[in-house]
């Protein structure tokens, strides 16, 4: 069997793992739909390459407003690799205690919000503290992890707690320990990770179910859609409407954040 077939076969096994979590995915989608229907948002966060899942949720083709993608460049800017803004700094920062609190200080959170935290290992300090703060604020947390990798990983926290310890619901990408899935002959370390495959399937399964729930509730989402599918005029209308709705939703996250001011205390019409 070729290494390509080996990888694809392992991806097929990941599909089965995702299928087995349908009821949990539906539960996550119900919580997220409730937040969106209430006019609030689902906060989506991931450090390192978990950023990929944040951007997979929103904004991109086939997605819609209701999600707040929290992406910190200092934790996710990979392409320079070394030097200023390099990987060493990013990997260091995602284990700095207190950074999650500084990030969330920017938002006026309420218990109507929900959160999706992505971390394959579930052990880096920033995403774990992010989930901890959300739970402390009465916000339901869904964790997207790689279960086998999380169980085999050592947490960076002194109290030994991991992301799953601060989650109301845990979803599993189905990837193996170490993430990489293929052993090449004469190479002693595996290549080709699988968490992105399983993670993207879960993200888009959630997205499909949320869209279904919103439509059933009489508020069909404004979906970013290609002009090749609906025509240039309709596509432009959808993009503008979706971006404007996102602006309206995100404005609520800033309107009364932190220290009150005469601006926050007095609404203008």
């Amino acid at each position: 069997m070729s290494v390509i077939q080996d990888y694809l076969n392992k991806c097929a096994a990941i599909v089965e793992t995702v299928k087995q979590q349908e009821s949990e995915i539906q539960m996550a989608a119900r919580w997220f739909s409730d937040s969106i229907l209430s006019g609030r948002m689902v906060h989506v966060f991931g450090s390192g390459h978990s950023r990929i899942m944040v951007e997979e949720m929103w904004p991109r083709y086939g997605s819609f407003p209701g999600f707040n993608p929290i992406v910190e460049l200092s934790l996710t800017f990979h392409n320079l690799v070394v030097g200023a803004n390099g990987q060493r700094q990013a990997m260091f920062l995602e284990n700095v205690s207190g950074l999650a609190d500084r990030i969330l200080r920017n938002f006026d959170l309420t218990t109507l919000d929900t959160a999706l935290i992505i971390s394959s290992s579930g052990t880096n300090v920033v995403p774990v503290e992010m989930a901890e703060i959300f739970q402390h604020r009465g916000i339901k947390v869904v964790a997207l992890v790689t279960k086998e990798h999380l169980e085999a990983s050592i947490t960076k926290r002194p109290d030994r707690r991991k992301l799953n310890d601060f989650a109301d619901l845990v979803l599993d990408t189905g990837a193996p320990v170490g993430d990489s899935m293929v052993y090449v002959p004469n190479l002693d370390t595996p290549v080709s990770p699988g968490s992105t495959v399983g993670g993207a399937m879960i993200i888009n399964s959630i997205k499909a179910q949320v869209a279904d729930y919103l439509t059933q509730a009489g508020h069909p989402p404004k979906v970013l859609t290609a002009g090749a599918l609906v025509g240039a005029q309709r596509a432009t209308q959808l993009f503008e409407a979706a971006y404007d709705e996102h602006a309206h939703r995100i404005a609520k996250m800033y309107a009364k954040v932190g220290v009150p001011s005469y601006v926050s205390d007095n609404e203008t019409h």
Side-chain angles (χ1 to χ4, degrees):
M1 181 173 58
S2 71
V3 292
I4 295 172
Q5 286 298 319
D6 186 17
Y7 183 75
L8 295 177
N9 287 341
K10 288 183 169 65
C11 286
I14 285 177
V15 173
E16 294 305 312
T17 299
V18 174
K19 283 183 179 180
Q20 294 169 11
Q21 300 174 80
E22 183 173 357
S23 62
E24 289 84 358
I25 292 171
Q26 289 175 332
M27 182 180 294
R30 175 60 70 190
W31 294 348
F32 295 167
S33 299
D34 288 344
S35 290
I36 294 170
L37 288 169
S38 70
R40 299 295 297 183
M41 301 186 86
V42 182
H43 304 284
V44 188
F45 176 81
S47 64
H49 282 85
S50 294
R51 168 186 177 158
I52 297 170
M53 296 301 104
V54 179
E55 296 185 349
E56 185 69 19
M57 183 63 88
W58 162 263
R60 59 158 303 160
Y61 277 148
S63 66
F64 46 86
F67 301 91
N68 177 25
I70 303 175
V71 171
E72 289 289 315
L73 289 181
S74 63
L75 303 175
T76 60
F77 191 45
H78 302 298
N79 61 294
L80 295 179
V81 186
V82 297
N85 302 298
Q87 279 293 93
R88 293 183 178 92
Q89 298 93 299
M91 294 174 70
F92 176 84
L93 288 173
E94 68 180 350
N95 284 297
V96 172
S97 181
L99 181 55
D101 178 69
R102 291 294 82 197
I103 295 169
L104 291 181
R105 173 61 178 80
N106 293 288
F107 303 105
D108 180 21
L109 305 174
T110 80
T111 55
L112 294 175
D113 301 342
T114 43
L116 173 63
I117 309 297
I118 304 103
S119 174
S120 191
S121 72
T123 60
N124 288 317
V125 169
V126 175
V128 176
E129 287 190 355
M130 189 77 71
E132 183 179 19
I133 293 167
F134 278 130
Q135 275 203 335
H136 181 71
R137 300 289 294 272
I139 292 170
K140 285 189 175 68
V141 175
V142 177
L144 177 53
V145 305
T146 298
K147 184 178 178 182
E148 290 185 4
H149 187 50
L150 178 147
E151 292 173 349
S153 299
I154 299 174
T155 180
K156 313 299 191 302
R157 287 172 57 112
D159 64 4
R160 320 312 292 171
R161 301 180 79 181
K162 301 179 182 180
L163 179 56
N164 58 307
D165 293 313
F166 299 104
D168 299 280
L169 180 67
V170 178
L171 301 174
D172 178 19
T173 71
V177 176
D179 207 350
S180 297
M181 302 198 297
V182 174
Y183 279 91
V184 173
N186 300 315
L187 179 62
D188 65 346
T189 49
V191 298
S192 303
S195 63
T196 305
V197 175
M201 285 193 292
I202 290 173
I203 289 291
N204 285 295
S205 295
I206 291 173
K207 193 183 301 177
Q209 188 64 73
V210 170
D212 187 30
Y213 286 149
L214 296 180
T215 302
Q216 290 181 43
H219 294 282
K222 301 174 182 69
V223 182
L224 303 181
T225 308
L229 187 62
V230 297
Q233 183 177 359
R234 175 64 173 151
T236 299
Q237 291 172 342
L238 285 168
F239 270 75
E240 293 296 335
Y243 292 157
D244 286 344
E245 181 179 323
H246 179 84
H248 303 156
R249 289 178 180 276
I250 200 68
K252 294 182 179 181
M253 301 296 160
Y254 301 135
K256 294 183 179 295
V257 68
V259 180
S261 67
Y262 75 91
V263 180
S264 62
D265 291 338
N266 295 284
E267 293 185 3
T268 58
H269 300 280

